[in-house]
Amino acid sequence: MKAILFVFPFVLAVAYFPISQCQNLPLIEQTCKQTPYYGLCVTSLKSDPRSKTAGDVQAIALIMVDIIKAKAGGSLQHIEKLKQKYPALRVPLSACKDRFNAIIIGDVPQAVEALTKGDPKFAVDAANDAALEADSCERGFSGKSPITQMNKLNHDISIITASVVKMML
Amino acid sequence: MADSNVSYNPLPDGERPRPTRRRSIVLVLSGLLVVGFLVALLSDNGSIAPANVIDNDNNNVNDNAKNGLNDVSSSSKEPERLRPFTSASSAGVSEKSNRRFGSRTASYPWTNNMLSWQRTAFHFQPQKNWMNDPNGPVFYKGWYHLFYQYNPNGAIWGDIVWGHAVSKDLIHWYHLPLAMVADQWYDIMGVWTGSATILSDGKLMMLYTGSTNESVQVQNLAYPADPSDPLLIKWVKYPGNPVLVPPPGIGAKDFRDPTTAWLTSEGKWRIAIGSRINRTGITFVYDTKDFINYELLRGVLHGVPNTGMWECVDFYPVSTTGEHGLDTSHNGPGVKHVVKASMDDDRHDYYAIGTYHEKNVTWVPDNPEIDVGIGIRYDYGLFYASKTFYDQNKKRRVLWGWIGESDSEIADVKKGWASLQGIPRTVALDTKTGSNLLQWPVEEVDSLRLTSKEFEKIELKPGSVMPLDVGSATQLDIVAEFELDKAALEKTAESNVEFSCSSSEGSAERGALGPFGLLVLADDSLSEQTPVYFYIAKGKDGSLKTYFCTDQSRSSEANDVNKSKYGSFVPVLEGEKFSMRVLVDHSIVEGFAQGGRTTITSRVYPTKAIYGAARVFLFNNATGASVTSSLKAWQMNSAFIRPYPDDDDERHSGTEPTHEVRGSKTKYLGNLLTSSLLFLNARNNFL
């Protein structure tokens, strides 16, 4: 009986220790609250295991840039498939390919460099441009886009990234 | 084991029960722990969604066509408008963040024809790749030097080193090898912005920011390897670098861009370096005798709350009596001091005029309401990281500014370059108003003028557009004056709303007294046009307030370029006509109003109004006033900016040399060794 009394506070403390600390949620939530797409921000970050140990906004930003890169890469692959499926959309799909390519070889390296070398404003530019490229890809279809969801996702993730980096300025 | 007399339930994990009393406590404890964990786990209501949401969908076609991309998908719960994450009041926070899309739908493909047209004829730019801040501008042994932030490897910011070019007249530039590369631990992450100081004995000192191997911002000293070389090709970094590291309490990434030094009355050199404490932008001041050892002076020269990090601080005297420039060390009666800083947050350059107190190392603005970061900008378009230098050759202060791109990355990647330097400008105090500076293209720009066309007193009725036959319209220098009839000015009703170029409808917003001005880079059908214009608003007290704007909303049929409107209020004094000077140089348009009281730089990327199809028009879109205009337009020659020729034939022929600008360090060193003799020879002949 005495042992249980002795042990119980410990158990209570453990019971009320939120598992969320292990997932680094305060930083993620705090950061995502200041972006225009809170839900997407949280789910994107949580899907990346590195977010559990991210220590500051810069680390979060780097994860987001990696997500931009991954999504853009996936988008490129998808576009290649669609070119076979919709030969009539070859022209706008090719334009989209160029745009996502620009994200991967231009925006992403600039963002990573800016964040790691210490001049984050250039990462804001790069992330904003990534959003613009996704938007422009979508516009190329004059309303008949087969990849609207994909473009929106790329756009929104980029906007989230830009707003995260802006917190560092 | 003794027999247990404690009842138990089998644990989910199948742990064998320990029938002793002590062990049953452990059992209960473990059970409670498991329960506790389960409770905590279930109370965490964050959802874990699958990462990959890319899939086909057949979306509502009509929505996309009608709303452009303001409503890309109907199924998302989040706000869907493409809007930058910025405060509503700051337009153009970063070049690529403030797009306003028209309703045109197709994404415009950039052809090589369109892209190659964009290169300028008489603005400084390297042959390829990325450039940003101007660095260490100085006049030394007969040559103007310009260094600049450069990426030798691509058209994006990165791998930053110091590019270098020289000129005799600030207009005709010769590319030289890279001056400094990232080869030391203290600048391996970036050879960043810095400034030059010429000492009393003529020695040249260069202070610059290095980003160290740990991305800490430090200040380093460099100087010419051979001070007798007027071209200053080779540079040496002080072996004891860094000479300054962030002061205690200052962030490792909040300490950069040292200024040109100025002499104090005690004979010490003084420099300023921008920084921030929380959200307050500040500038530190240091004294030094040798540029190696520094004393951080107590306090700060100045700071302004809520302005964020101050980059590229500049500090210099202006004469209150004359329009000539002053040496940076000049002080005394008839002098005011300018503090300027580039705001990292909103990407604009701000300046304020005030009084410098050398003894207690402070500077006080004349008008705190238009203090640094919250008041006047050098330029209301794209213009950042600017820096002045005192040109002892012509006794003037000259201002350089970095003009980035406002197109999309796909175009920069395709064309292989990004950014320009603005046309160099003289800066001086506006002695008529006393409260702002005047900026004007350096007089050497006039030497580019070729043939001209003059137009006298053209009357433009309300709602009229008039083509100007000036010949080719992609390289122009236009000086124009406008007058409105006095009756119209007097009878116009008052307005309640404060006008703003950026939140207006641009040149399509018709007021009683404006807009009127020029349409540049326009095509015959005016499907593409860039208006540079005045808009006069009547305030509540009946006084007239004039605005000077540039409207990019119809500048191009492409939809991935910046379409916002730039501009600001411009003081117009009693008896003055409305006057503007506009430089058009392919993809850059620079407007100067009222002798340079307000300036606007914009990047323009037409798809049709290029080459021989570009036109210029006069326009008056006011409803209540006729406008009379007189103007002169010159064709502008190219400045033939090219690598410094390394033999006589190339230099005298004036044609493009066939070799490329040296991009790699090893290549540069190798060539340097073999061509140094040629340089000496060639230079003598050239001079």
Side-chain angles (χ1 to χ4, degrees), chain B residues 113 212 247 262 401 405 475 578 605 609:
Chain B
N113 214 30
T212 69
W262 63 97
E405 299 291 316
Q475 290 168 214
F578 302 96
Y605 309 95

Side-chain angles (χ1 to χ4, degrees), chain B residues 294 513 630:
Chain B
Y294 293 81
L513 303 174
S630 300

Side-chain angles (χ1 to χ4, degrees), chain B residues 363-661:
Chain B
W363 171 90
V364 179
D366 286 349
N367 182 352
E369 289 191 12
I370 48 169
D371 206 340
V372 180
I374 61 175
I376 307 177
R377 285 163 51 179
Y378 269 143
D379 188 291
Y380 287 86
L382 272 185
F383 189 88
Y384 194 68
S386 61
K387 185 181 289 299
T388 65
F389 74 102
Y390 177 62
D391 170 10
Q392 68 273 26
N393 183 36
K394 292 207 168 172
K395 313 256 182 291
R396 57 185 171 180
R397 182 157 290 271
V398 176
L399 170 68
W400 284 103
W402 164 43
I403 319 297
E405 299 291 316
S406 60
D407 63 359
S408 62
E409 188 59 39
I410 195 179
D412 295 353
V413 163
K414 229 179 160 184
K415 72 196 191 192
W417 63 270
S419 299
L420 309 169
Q421 295 295 330
I423 204 78
R425 319 165 171 197
T426 52
V427 227
L429 183 67
D430 183 353
T431 51
K432 291 185 187 153
T433 63
S435 56
N436 57 269
L437 297 173
L438 287 175
Q439 303 163 62
W440 198 247
V442 294
E443 60 185 11
E444 289 90 337
V445 171
D446 298 4
S447 72
L448 292 168
R449 290 171 168 172
L450 298 170
T451 57
S452 66
K453 281 264 172 71
E454 203 158 351
F455 304 83
E456 292 280 345
K457 297 211 183 315
I458 300 180
E459 204 202 346
L460 298 156
K461 295 232 187 297
S464 61
V465 176
M466 201 191 110
L468 295 171
D469 178 17
V470 299
S472 172
T474 53
Q475 290 168 214
L476 289 174
D477 184 357
I478 307 173
V479 173
E481 268 182 359
F482 302 85
E483 276 182 290
L484 272 69
D485 53 282
K486 281 205 169 46
L489 288 170
E490 269 150 32
K491 83 167 176 1
T492 298
E494 285 147 22
S495 160
N496 288 328
V497 184
E498 178 92 352
F499 179 82
S500 143
C501 297
S502 54
S503 56
S504 72
E505 291 304 311
S507 59
E509 179 166 318
R510 308 191 66 185
L513 303 174
F516 59 88
L518 290 166
L519 302 177
V520 299
L521 292 176
D523 65 329
D524 277 326
S525 67
L526 292 177
S527 62
E528 292 182 335
Q529 51 174 278
T530 300
V532 181
Y533 61 95
F534 289 106
Y535 185 99
I536 305 167
K538 205 169 200 180
K540 274 180 262 191
D541 60 353
S543 65
L544 294 175
K545 207 166 172 189
T546 307
Y547 294 82
F548 182 56
C549 317
T550 297
D551 177 4
Q552 301 177 112
S553 61
R554 284 171 291 172
S555 60
S556 174
E557 290 195 346
N559 57 26
D560 58 348
V561 299
N562 193 313
K563 299 268 178 95
S564 58
K565 299 110 187 168
Y566 298 142
S568 178
F569 158 71
V570 58
V572 177
L573 303 181
E574 188 72 43
E576 285 182 356
K577 293 185 190 157
F578 302 96
S579 68
M580 64 165 80
R581 181 176 182 184
V582 182
L583 292 175
V584 179
D585 185 5
H586 297 260
S587 62
I588 184 170
V589 174
E590 290 158 306
F592 299 80
Q594 301 309 107
R597 284 193 188 124
T598 296
T599 75
I600 307 172
T601 301
S602 43
R603 298 300 309 280
V604 181
Y605 309 95
T607 62
K608 287 157 64 175
I610 60 178
Y611 298 112
R615 303 278 179 266
V616 183
F617 296 81
L618 270 173
F619 82 98
N620 174 15
N621 213 17
T623 56
S626 285
V627 173
T628 306
S629 176
S630 300
L631 71 91
K632 195 163 180 181
W634 290 264
Q635 292 292 317
M636 293 297 268
N637 202 355
S638 167
F640 302 110
I641 296 172
R642 61 199 189 280
Y644 192 96
D646 48 20
D647 67 64
D648 289 353
D649 287 345
E650 281 179 3
R651 205 172 43 252
H652 293 308
S653 72
T655 57
E656 285 291 332
T658 52
H659 62 273
E660 297 213 323
V661 76

Side-chain angles (χ1 to χ4, degrees), chain B residues 4 28 39 131 177 190 200 204 282 300 325 330 368 482 498 580 640 664:
Chain B
S4 166
V28 168
V39 165
M131 165 175 66
S200 325
L204 179 55
I282 56 172
V300 296
H330 188 106
F482 302 85
E498 178 92 352
M580 64 165 80
F640 302 110
S664 78

